[in-house]
Amino acid sequence: MSFTERVRDLTRLAFQLGNNWMTLAGAAMTTSSAFVLVWFWFMEITSPRSIHPYMGIILFLILPALFLVGLALIPLGIIRLRRQRKLAGETPLPLQAVDFKQPGVRRLLTVVGVLTFINVSILGTAGLKGVEYMDSNQFCGLTCHTVMSPEYTAFLDSPHSRVGCAQCHIGHGAPALVRAKISGSRQLFAVAFGTFSRPIPSPVEHLRPARETCEQCHWPQKFTNDKLIVRTKFAEDEANTASTSILLLKIGGHTPNGTTGIHGRHLDAMERISYITTDARRQEIPKVTYRDDNGQLVEYVTDDFKKLPKETVDKATVRKMDCIDCHNRPTHAFQLPDRALDKAMAEKRMSAELPFLKKQALELLKVDYADQKAAAAKIPVALAEYYRTTYPEIYKQKRAQVDTAGEVVKAIYLRNVFPEMKITWGTHPNNIGHEESVGCFRCHDGNHTAADGRSIKGDCDTCHTILAQDEKDPKILKDFGMK
Ligand code: HEC
Ligand code: HEC
Ligand code: HEC
Ligand code: HEC
Ligand code: HEC
């Protein structure tokens, strides 16, 4: 049979077989979802408003799926019809000669060709849009509202709030994308059936190495000067007494004379540091391997390490140090109540003139509320009640300040505690310092020593120069012109 004849037969069959309900329904589904999709893409281009995440599910995932199902129904209907005819013992189909010279047949072929072209374009665009949507912050952060709400809330209040979830969590390249989509489908099931863990575990397994995520935007070799940190704390006394610490953090990096400081010493072209850890959160680090400037490998171990059973050591995770070992909460940084209150008072978002404010606020933040709604309802009322009964005069004079403080304390709670996801104060420790969690002292505790007597330094001026520690009114702030 020649090619033309084969095409001729096919066309004829399509013509006759298209006349069944399944094929027709498929054609209707495909056509109508195509119209809605195209209309929506047009709206998306012309209107500046962003879409609601649930709307996104319909537009980017369900409609394209309907479109595809419709496309599939068209041939399925035909197959079914053929089988029915065969079973009924009818002649499969009366074959009539189709004459390509007939204008009707030529027109039909053109229509089929054009429709196929449009379908392929729609499918391609829908695929691209779907992937793009599934990578959007809205999809990641809002669709499974309760599940992601802690991470999303902290993310919005961070230096990375304009960086996409996918840029840190998925990284670049097709393999990363495919793997993320596969594990994403598993997660969708977990959400649909409520089987996800509360809280979502951290560290994230299979998080891409920092080289493929953070380092797409940050340049690790960049030299950063000492960074000035000014931190004011408020005591839990009647006057909320303030004291300030000031330090210069030696961030460092690469200099003409080699690598220095916090960044320079751990990260280098030659990957200096790896370690083993015995707990899931990487808080216990009994052994650190370091390549020093002479290229010599130094093994720093703790006293405990020598006592660990061999199978624990064999099972321990080995990890090359990268950005995330210090910056484990670059965007989902949950605060502790003490520091969050200090910050609010130092920034004068709530008045340190209210007696015992720090102490009262701390107590209210540490109560076990059933959920965020209960906390939001109770915190401001309880604070107002405290001043109304204990300091009625002050309550009368400073009513507005008490109300503001109530709202600020409530906001601190809602920003950091998510009873629905079992996230409370300190669930996700931040490794960047040493005051709120062990952090740097996981290694820099003076207890990690090498066979030759060297140890990982732990003295206070290794990482920062302390210019003032817990001073009432540090003179140096005046010298800097900061007061
Ligand atoms: C700047 C990079 C960055 C961005 C942007 C980012 N994340 Fe993360 N995310 C991290 C890191 C780092 C961790 C912790 C990794 C670890 O310790 O293994 C993490 C952890 C998580 C976890 C595990 C639970 C936890 O708190 O540790 C979830 C869930 C999560 N991120 C969701 C999101 C969502 C949703 C978005 C977007 C709204 C997002 N992330 C944006 C870097 C990022
Ligand atoms: C898509 C680009 C991008 C990626 C990926 C990215 N960052 Fe950033 N990061 C930024 C930008 C932009 C800022 C500056 C924000 C500002 O100045 O407000 C920033 C700021 C920071 C800061 C300074 C925060 C501060 O307090 O000033 C740290 C630390 C940081 N990033 C660490 C990381 C780490 C760790 C990763 C990987 C987990 C990462 N970043 C991934 C773009 C990125
Ligand atoms: C040994 C721990 C450690 C490692 C590893 C590390 N950092 Fe940092 N980084 C710090 C500390 C500490 C600071 C200062 C934090 C602060 O502001 O309180 C900092 C500050 C920063 C800042 C802000 C600088 C500024 O001028 O404020 C950026 C950006 C940053 N780091 C990015 C990175 C990136 C990207 C990597 C990986 C290539 C990385 N860091 C690896 C400890 C580390
Ligand atoms: C996994 C273990 C580990 C962690 C965690 C770690 N460090 Fe280090 N750090 C090392 C090792 C190992 C060295 C090199 C020790 C040596 O010089 O022999 C080092 C060196 C340094 C140096 C250079 C000291 C000098 O005088 O040469 C600074 C500064 C430093 N670290 C700061 C920090 C800070 C700040 C943090 C927390 C944000 C931190 N480190 C977390 C292992 C670690
Ligand atoms: C391994 C590095 C390292 C060593 C050693 C170290 N620190 Fe720090 N320290 C840091 C970093 C990093 C921060 C900043 C953390 C942050 O931005 O929250 C910090 C912050 C502080 C702060 C301000 C904390 C706050 O928020 O209240 C004080 C005070 C302080 N250090 C005191 C000390 C003293 C005292 C010692 C000696 C016993 C010491 N540090 C040793 C890395 C170190």
Side-chain angles (χ1 to χ4, degrees):
M1 213 194 285
S2 80
F3 179 71
T4 354
E5 279 168 340
R6 227 178 282 164
V7 173
R8 199 183 294 168
D9 279 355
L10 275 176
T11 322
R12 189 170 49 231
L13 281 176
F15 210 33
Q16 292 159 341
L17 292 174
N19 202 359
N20 73 81
W21 71 263
M22 205 186 254
T23 305
L24 286 179
M29 249 163 97
T30 301
T31 324
S32 49
S33 46
F35 271 121
V36 181
L37 276 173
V38 171
W39 170 77
F40 171 73
W41 293 334
F42 174 73
M43 293 298 286
E44 199 195 13
I45 295 169
T46 52
S47 133
R49 271 196 315 158
S50 68
I51 51 153
H52 188 279
Y54 291 140
M55 201 57 188
I57 294 194
I58 297 179
L59 288 167
F60 294 122
L61 305 175
I62 296 183
L63 276 178
L66 281 180
F67 179 82
L68 263 182
V69 170
L71 269 191
L73 279 181
I74 297 176
L76 280 179
I78 297 176
I79 292 169
R80 188 161 159 269
L81 183 67
R82 277 190 77 146
R83 186 170 302 156
Q84 276 171 353
R85 286 201 166 215
K86 211 169 170 186
L87 283 180
E90 293 172 28
T91 35
L93 278 164
L95 301 178
Q96 308 164 357
V98 170
D99 187 354
F100 274 93
K101 296 212 178 79
Q102 261 181 298
V105 173
R106 285 236 292 272
R107 227 174 288 140
L108 178 77
L109 266 186
T110 321
V111 169
V112 169
V114 170
L115 279 182
T116 309
F117 176 75
I118 295 179
N119 280 346
V120 169
S121 327
I122 291 181
L123 252 184
T125 314
L128 271 179
K129 287 257 169 199
V131 168
E132 194 182 293
Y133 169 64
M134 284 195 283
D135 276 357
S136 73
N137 294 350
Q138 286 172 338
F139 180 76
C140 301
L142 286 179
T143 309
C144 323
H145 188 79
T146 326
V147 187
M148 286 296 152
S149 123
E151 278 73 28
Y152 191 60
T153 307
F155 159 87
L156 287 180
D157 180 32
S158 87
H160 289 107
S161 57
R162 298 286 168 88
V163 172
C165 315
Q167 274 170 301
C168 289
H169 282 281
I170 298 180
H172 289 248
L177 187 80
V178 170
R179 195 154 70 179
K181 292 305 163 235
I182 291 172
S183 86
S185 328
R186 219 179 332 110
Q187 285 157 14
L188 268 183
F189 274 102
V191 170
F193 297 107
T195 55
F196 52 87
S197 5
R198 301 172 180 79
I200 309 242
S202 190
V204 181
E205 271 183 68
H206 314 305
L207 194 78
R208 315 284 303 151
R211 191 133 289 175
E212 292 162 39
T213 54
C214 320
E215 294 187 18
Q216 299 292 326
C217 298
H218 296 284
W219 187 37
Q221 284 77 29
K222 177 175 174 251
F223 178 80
T224 305
N225 259 324
D226 288 2
K227 180 173 180 181
L228 183 71
I229 301 219
V230 179
R231 218 156 258 162
T232 302
K233 293 180 185 164
F234 295 84
E236 291 176 47
D237 56 5
E238 185 169 21
N240 307 302
T241 307
S243 63
T244 300
S245 297
I246 301 168
L247 14 118
L248 284 174
L249 266 184
K250 304 175 182 175
I251 298 183
H254 285 235
T255 69
N257 307 323
T259 55
T260 63
I262 300 172
H263 279 170
R265 278 291 104 176
H266 304 86
L267 299 165
D268 206 291
M270 66 181 179
E271 278 175 358
R272 286 176 180 271
I273 301 179
S274 61
Y275 64 83
I276 70 168
T277 170
T278 48
D279 72 316
R281 285 182 177 274
R282 304 185 189 135
Q283 294 298 300
E284 307 282 337
I285 301 184
K287 178 177 160 186
V288 181
T289 310
Y290 173 65
R291 191 176 289 283
D292 70 11
D293 284 342
N294 305 324
Q296 194 190 335
L297 269 190
V298 192
E299 290 195 342
Y300 294 107
V301 296
T302 61
D303 293 338
D304 287 345
F305 177 77
K306 295 165 201 156
K307 290 182 218 137
L308 283 179
K310 191 175 172 298
E311 64 267 23
T312 313
V313 177
D314 291 343
K315 260 198 276 162
T317 317
V318 183
R319 198 180 137 84
K320 268 199 195 104
M321 194 163 182
D322 71 18
C323 316
I324 291 158
D325 289 300
C326 296
H327 297 283
N328 67 329
R329 320 294 314 166
T331 190
H332 317 295
F334 298 103
Q335 305 156 312
L336 288 187
D338 208 356
R339 195 181 274 188
L341 288 170
D342 287 342
K343 192 160 179 281
M345 289 167 91
E347 290 169 358
K348 298 203 163 48
R349 280 183 281 130
M350 57 187 208
S351 168
E353 286 169 17
L354 296 173
F356 283 118
L357 177 58
K358 173 81 182 283
K359 183 165 183 285
Q360 285 307 313
L362 257 184
E363 278 172 18
L364 285 175
L365 285 177
K366 287 183 181 165
V367 172
D368 244 340
Y369 301 98
D371 50 28
Q372 285 210 335
K373 224 165 134 195
K378 286 182 187 157
I379 290 173
V381 176
L383 195 69
E385 189 57 18
Y386 168 77
Y387 286 107
R388 201 176 61 78
T389 51
T390 325
Y391 293 97
E393 268 315 298
I394 291 181
Y395 183 66
K396 236 185 266 157
Q397 289 163 11
K398 302 192 171 166
R399 180 74 196 268
Q401 290 180 12
V402 173
D403 289 345
T404 309
E407 288 305 312
V408 172
V409 178
K410 172 178 117 184
I412 289 176
Y413 185 93
L414 298 182
R415 158 76 172 71
N416 295 294
V417 183
F418 301 82
E420 295 90 336
M421 284 303 294
K422 297 206 165 78
I423 287 189
T424 182
W425 306 108
T427 302
H428 289 305
N430 191 339
N431 291 335
I432 205 74
H434 52 80
E435 297 260 312
E436 297 198 300
S437 70
V438 199
C440 313
F441 287 5
R442 287 172 301 160
C443 299
H444 289 268
D445 57 354
N447 184 26
H448 286 68
T449 48
D452 62 4
R454 278 191 267 180
S455 66
I456 305 181
K457 291 180 199 159
D459 26 294
C460 307
D461 61 356
T462 310
C463 308
H464 42 54
T465 312
I466 301 182
L467 302 175
Q469 194 166 356
D470 294 331
E471 285 180 27
K472 215 165 171 179
D473 203 3
K475 181 178 162 298
I476 194 149
L477 275 188
K478 285 199 195 80
D479 297 346
F480 282 158
M482 290 171 73
K483 196 148 194 176

